Amino acid sequence: MTRIASNVTQILKAVPPHVTVLAAAKTQSASMVMEAYQAGLRHFGHNYVQEALQMLPAVNAEIKWHMIGHLQRNKAKQALDLFTFIDSLDSLRLVDELEKQASMMKIIVPVMIEVNIGEEEAKTGVAPDVALQLAQSVSSLSHLRLVGVMTMGPRFGDPEDSRIYFRRTRAIFEAIQAMQLPNVVLKYLSMGMSNDYLVAIEEGANMIRLGTAIFGER
Ligand SMILES: *Cc1c(COP(=O)(O)O)cnc(C)c1O
């Protein structure tokens, strides 16, 4: 068994079955992604359209690709060509552009709102009150389907330090659920990375995003 296959096998054994493991593939090669795929993973993420553009044609597998990095509006169309999910909605302008492009492409796109829980370390995503507004906006659109909330905690340090971020993000997830918006079925709470995914799962994550724990140090 390769190192990547053995990492994936151990992780899948350690996490409860309701948790989806997404492999963060930035800087990895297509063959490394295929190893993780063959070990059982089906959800993969990229941070950059450019990197996905190079890798995806070389990876011939039934993969659900997620955009997990900041998406520039001028790359929205390209992103929709490449990715199944857009997990990093962080502005109303991006939402509008994605809706416009998806409408022209006649597709319906599952999306997630990226929340910045308002602490120093998390620099991407929107503030909690904006997250609720974005949820309302997405709910009214025909070509985007809100399916989740994502957050980035601190990447390093004591995993326990992430717990408060995760707890607050879960509260936002539940607040959006409680709005009972039309067309919104929140399914994914995406939080936790290699350093702190066990804490994230304890706080309600059902999608974790792992790079280092699968592929090794970048
Ligand atoms: C790189 C990355 C991850 C994974 O980080 P690791 O610490 O290597 O597990 C998760 N989410 C996002 C958005 C990332 O950019």
Side-chain angles (χ1 to χ4, degrees):
M1 210 193 284
T2 68
R3 186 176 48 85
I4 291 172
S6 113
N7 288 344
V8 170
T9 306
Q10 278 176 27
I11 292 161
L12 290 178
K13 231 183 270 170
V15 306
H18 73 277
V19 174
T20 300
V21 177
L22 180 154
K26 59 173 174 282
T27 77
Q28 311 301 338
S29 67
S31 66
M32 290 171 92
V33 163
M34 281 311 295
E35 282 180 33
Y37 174 83
Q38 274 148 10
L41 298 188
R42 292 297 176 267
H43 291 257
F44 288 76
H46 263 300
N47 295 64
Y48 300 103
V49 166
Q50 197 55 40
E51 216 179 332
L53 202 55
Q54 282 165 9
M55 180 186 287
L56 269 53
V59 177
N60 185 17
E62 287 291 305
I63 286 178
K64 300 215 183 303
W65 286 100
H66 295 242
M67 175 59 178
I68 59 173
H70 171 67
L71 178 58
Q72 292 169 297
R73 276 181 304 145
N74 62 6
K75 300 255 168 66
K77 186 193 178 312
Q78 264 183 311
L80 294 179
D81 284 333
L82 294 165
F83 295 98
T84 311
F85 290 77
I86 308 291
D87 298 6
S88 47
L89 290 188
D90 59 3
S91 75
L92 190 52
R93 292 164 79 204
L94 177 61
V95 166
D96 288 344
E97 183 63 23
L98 285 169
E99 168 66 21
K100 187 176 115 191
Q101 297 295 341
S103 154
M104 286 194 288
M105 294 161 81
K106 298 185 166 48
I107 56 172
I108 294 177
V109 186
V111 297
M112 305 192 204
I113 293 172
E114 183 176 358
V115 177
N116 177 349
I117 215 61
E119 306 293 338
E120 302 265 300
E121 278 114 325
K123 295 208 166 57
T124 50
V126 297
D129 55 326
V130 180
L132 301 188
Q133 288 167 19
L134 273 188
Q136 210 142 25
S137 305
V138 174
S139 157
S140 69
L141 301 174
S142 329
H143 299 86
L144 304 184
R145 283 290 174 277
L146 185 60
V147 298
V149 170
M150 145 174 169
T151 201
M152 293 269 285
R155 260 202 74 202
F156 304 103
D158 184 350
E160 276 302 321
D161 295 344
S162 304
R163 191 179 293 278
I164 184 72
Y165 301 80
F166 295 151
R167 204 166 279 180
R168 290 183 193 156
T169 305
R170 184 191 180 152
I172 294 164
F173 180 84
E174 287 172 353
I176 295 174
Q177 273 180 332
M179 291 162 81
Q180 300 197 313
L181 296 165
N183 299 318
V184 174
V185 181
L186 276 200
K187 180 172 175 204
Y188 296 111
L189 179 51
S190 173
M191 54 188 196
M193 302 188 276
S194 296
N195 185 42
D196 54 13
Y197 67 90
L198 294 174
V199 174
I201 292 169
E202 284 170 14
E203 294 301 332
N206 59 14
M207 177 172 275
I208 55 176
R209 306 181 312 274
L210 306 181
T212 313
I214 294 169
F215 300 111
E217 287 295 336
R218 289 184 290 278

